[in-house]
Amino acid sequence: ETLDASGLHLLPGAIDAHVHFREPGYTHKEDWGTGTAAAAMGGVTTVFEMPNTNPPTGTPDALALKLKAAEKAHVDFGIYGLLAEDNIDQLEALIDGGVAAFKCFMGNTFGNLPSPSTGAMLEGFEILAKHGMRCSLHAETASIMAWRQRKLAAAGRHDPLAHLASRPAVVATEAVARAAILAEWTGARIHVLHISSADELRPLREAKARGVDITGETCPHYLLFDEHAYETLGSIIRVNPPVREKHHQTALWEALSDGTIDMIATDHAPHDPAEKRRDDIWTADCGFPGVETQMQLMLTAVNEGRFTLAEYVRMSAGAPARAFGLFPRKGALTVGSDADIAFVDMRRRHVIRAAELHSRGKITPFEGMETVGLPIHTMVRGRFAMRDRRLCAETAGWGRSVRRAQAMPTPQPRNLDQTMEAVLRPPAPASARPRAVA
Ligand code: NCD
Ligand code: ZN
Ligand code: ZN
């Protein structure tokens, strides 16, 4: 069987650094079969899956359960380990067990995992720095959020915009600034998840200028929706952090084009439709699926002249490959070299329909949107996971763990030795330190 790819563009398969596949624990929302099927249908060949499952991926036993669940994956995957207050002594074992990166919930979100103290984060970052492991941050400050929510509860929270008001941009901004300081002190690599506001960009830019190895992502929903979405979509658009006002959206597009935001990820967060469609936005679960629709939405942006196809590939594949160590040899351009390919038709029109999504969470704020540009075939390490817009069922189980590339270059520690005593000393001035390699 030959493939006629005339008229199609070949892109590196997208690497989505932020998905929630819910297994083990919440398989009525999603499982590894449905989640990775959605990825394959979206031109995504590698995903990094989040630890807020049940049990959370904070111990080697929980990691083993997750790796078992992932055995049916259609696409390659990295597993996130949890960095929490009570499992700092488990981090080394999680690394040995094959996690690809870590996730730290600085603020409250689905799964209700308590956020670690700043001290535990510092200690955890010190351990991750030794291994060159990146820590991705749900960068929201729990204590500011709790304070705002008390105020809102007192005022009555019937306004649908109250969800936005409960997590003002300062909630994220303070967390980014604090995490960047801890990364600078320990030499840890960090990644800011779901950037939603103009305000977070300042501590991100400042940290980059100081030489901190920090990357950032935004998601299609922050680029395509603003506060008007609360009137039209109600609880469906409820997500952490919230979709914000127009001026934030404008700043996010600018930050993508100037490189402040490195990559596009989706925060694919499926829920049962019954858990999403609520009259009272406060009782709806936060998040919605995204891994299947990212590429077509962003190719539409390419067609609209928002950025070039080459820039899209940098944001969808190049930057996440670099940040999460998927280049086996330093400097070697190996994205796509193991035939992770999205074959896309840049002119194909397609209307997004929740009912047609492969995710179990058949509800999407992008319902009814017409897109231009669509993945037609997806190849994972040389095998078709999607062909002619159909899932190749026989690739269930073909996906494998990417782990952390073994030859990942060692980070430059900000301090001479990596002991807690060293961490207690202030970092050397920027001029005296080697710059992180861009
Ligand atoms: C995510 C989920 O449902 O797991 N929800 C969300 O609103 N983004 C959790 C998260 O990433 O904060
Ligand atoms: Zn989050
Ligand atoms: Zn998330």
Side-chain angles (χ1 to χ4, degrees):
E1 355 142 50
T2 55
L3 177 84
D4 183 356
S6 52
L8 302 184
H9 283 68
L10 269 57
L11 310 183
I15 299 168
D16 191 339
H18 188 167
V19 303
H20 301 265
F21 285 165
R22 308 302 193 198
E23 187 179 5
Y26 308 103
T27 51
H28 67 293
K29 296 174 188 281
E30 191 78 294
D31 66 35
W32 274 84
T34 52
T36 57
M41 293 301 293
V44 176
T45 51
T46 305
V47 293
F48 283 78
E49 204 271 341
M50 289 293 172
N52 57 335
T53 42
N54 192 9
T57 321
T59 62
D61 285 351
L63 174 61
L65 288 175
K66 183 152 285 187
L67 286 166
K68 183 83 196 143
E71 280 176 6
K72 50 189 172 293
H74 289 270
V75 304
D76 287 348
F77 54 86
I79 305 283
Y80 271 110
L82 180 71
L83 189 165
E85 183 80 22
D86 60 358
N87 82 330
I88 302 299
D89 58 348
Q90 305 285 309
L91 301 183
E92 301 265 7
L94 286 166
I95 294 168
D96 289 345
V99 299
F102 281 84
K103 164 82 176 271
C104 173
F105 290 92
M106 298 176 77
N108 189 268
T109 188
F110 177 76
N112 282 318
L113 300 175
S115 16
S117 64
T118 306
M121 280 179 69
L122 188 63
E123 197 178 343
F125 278 17
E126 193 192 21
I127 293 166
L128 302 195
K130 279 188 217 153
H131 295 270
M133 276 272 160
R134 194 170 293 270
C135 188
S136 293
L137 305 158
H138 178 105
E140 293 195 306
T141 302
S143 60
I144 307 180
M145 245 150 46
W147 165 75
R148 279 296 291 217
Q149 284 179 3
R150 275 200 303 277
K151 294 260 173 202
L152 279 164
R157 8 179 243 190
H158 302 298
D159 179 358
L161 288 173
H163 171 57
L164 198 170
S166 74
R167 294 166 181 256
V170 63
V171 166
T173 309
E174 195 271 351
V176 173
R178 185 155 43 94
I181 288 169
L182 302 182
E184 186 172 20
W185 277 58
T186 56
R189 302 180 149 114
I190 57 171
H191 174 67
V192 184
L193 299 161
H194 44 43
I195 296 176
S196 63
S197 72
D199 303 69
E200 285 157 273
L201 299 171
R202 194 173 96 180
L204 176 59
R205 286 195 178 102
E206 287 172 354
K208 286 187 173 192
R210 297 201 303 273
V212 178
D213 189 338
I214 183 171
T215 53
E217 73 182 31
T218 191
C219 316
H221 44 278
Y222 301 116
L223 296 169
L224 299 174
F225 293 111
D226 59 26
E227 84 271 28
H228 298 293
Y230 293 93
E231 293 150 36
T232 52
L233 293 166
S235 64
I236 292 172
I237 198 65
R238 184 172 193 217
V239 61
N240 298 335
V243 162
R244 301 183 190 279
E245 298 88 340
K246 192 78 187 170
H247 75 273
H248 291 290
Q249 192 194 66
T250 309
L252 295 177
W253 282 104
E254 284 168 9
L256 265 181
S257 55
D258 73 18
T260 302
I261 295 179
D262 302 83
M263 68 187 86
I264 307 257
T266 67
D267 194 4
H268 176 84
H271 296 286
D272 186 279
E275 297 161 333
K276 281 299 288 176
R277 275 189 210 284
R278 294 288 169 85
D279 292 336
D280 175 8
I281 189 169
W282 287 95
T283 63
D285 279 349
C286 296
F288 34 76
V291 74
E292 192 165 352
T293 48
Q294 177 271 113
M295 189 173 283
Q296 70 190 92
L297 289 165
M298 292 299 107
L299 292 181
T300 305
V302 170
N303 275 315
E304 288 167 350
R306 295 270 204 167
F307 39 71
T308 66
L309 196 54
E311 285 169 331
Y312 169 67
V313 166
R314 170 171 56 75
M315 299 181 299
S316 67
R322 201 173 295 278
F324 292 95
L326 301 187
F327 291 99
R329 287 180 308 286
K330 197 178 173 195
L333 277 172
T334 56
V335 169
S337 69
D338 53 359
D340 290 341
I341 302 171
F343 297 70
V344 306
D345 181 342
M346 287 302 291
R347 268 174 268 178
R348 178 83 79 91
R349 288 177 185 274
H350 184 259
V351 177
I352 295 173
R353 294 291 175 210
E356 292 167 12
L357 295 179
H358 288 68
S359 170
R360 198 159 282 153
K362 295 203 191 315
I363 195 154
T364 169
F366 306 112
E367 173 73 32
M369 275 194 190
E370 192 187 31
T371 59
V372 187
L374 193 67
I376 306 297
H377 320 292
T378 304
M379 183 175 268
V380 178
R381 275 179 291 104
R383 286 201 190 170
F384 285 108
M386 169 178 75
R387 189 154 177 180
D388 293 317
R389 297 290 307 150
R390 275 165 190 259
L391 181 72
C392 302
E394 68 279 10
T395 54
W398 178 243
R400 71 175 185 206
S401 166
V402 296
R403 294 188 59 118
R404 181 179 59 102
Q406 294 307 312
M408 200 167 174
T410 320
Q412 290 290 342
R414 296 299 185 273
N415 293 293
L416 291 177
D417 61 318
Q418 293 282 304
T419 63
M420 277 310 279
E421 292 76 55
V423 163
L424 293 173
R425 291 198 300 270
S431 56
R433 283 187 274 114
R435 302 297 276 190
V437 183

